[in-house]
Amino acid sequence: MELVNALFVAAIAVVSGGVAWWLHRSRLAAMRRALQDAQDSRLDLAATAAALHRRLAEADQALSRLPEQQGHQAQGNDAQERRAALERALAAAAPAPDSWEDTHPVTVPGFMPTQPAEFDEPPLPRR
């Protein structure tokens, strides 16, 4: 009887070990597939970015050959023109007051923080 029990325990140990090994191998295979997919997608993304960079360079060259673009480039940088227009608009605006007291917190000694207003009327009933 002990021999049967020992064989039964050994069989269960072998089967459970085989199942654990099979699960471990399947997890490793899934991890390898996921890693390969990630690597492939990274390489695809790099190739797509390189192709887009080439297309942008070609488009930039094509635009630089257009006559109206050449005149625009000779005029100057668009950002510089915008900054100059903004500075002209700000210079024409009214000068700012020396002090914006209504926007600064009061620093008077004994100042209490703002409290909610007390209403003489009772609050409206909740619906």
Side-chain angles (χ1 to χ4, degrees):
M1 188 69 174
E2 281 185 29
L3 181 61
V4 173
N5 285 339
L7 287 175
F8 181 71
V9 169
I12 288 183
V14 167
V15 168
S16 63
V19 169
W21 178 80
W22 181 73
L23 288 174
H24 174 69
R25 297 303 295 174
S26 64
R27 283 190 192 119
L28 285 178
M31 288 171 61
R32 278 193 198 103
R33 282 192 302 273
L35 179 64
Q36 188 62 39
D37 288 345
Q39 182 72 4
D40 290 344
S41 67
R42 184 184 69 81
L43 294 175
D44 289 345
L45 182 62
T48 303
L52 285 175
H53 183 65
R54 282 193 303 273
R55 287 182 61 194
L56 283 173
E58 291 169 1
D60 189 34
Q61 289 176 354
L63 285 175
S64 67
R65 287 187 226 124
L66 294 175
E68 63 267 5
Q69 286 294 330
Q70 291 172 354
H72 177 70
Q73 289 174 351
Q75 291 176 359
N77 189 358
D78 187 42
Q80 291 173 349
E81 292 175 15
R82 289 182 185 196
R83 180 175 295 280
L86 177 65
E87 288 174 357
R88 284 191 304 270
L90 290 176
D98 293 335
S99 174
W100 294 85
E101 294 175 1
D102 57 337
T103 61
H104 292 290
V106 177
T107 56
V108 177
F111 170 75
M112 293 187 57
T114 305
Q115 300 293 325
E118 295 182 21
F119 294 104
D120 294 336
E121 303 170 7
L124 295 174
R126 292 188 178 187
R127 295 182 184 187

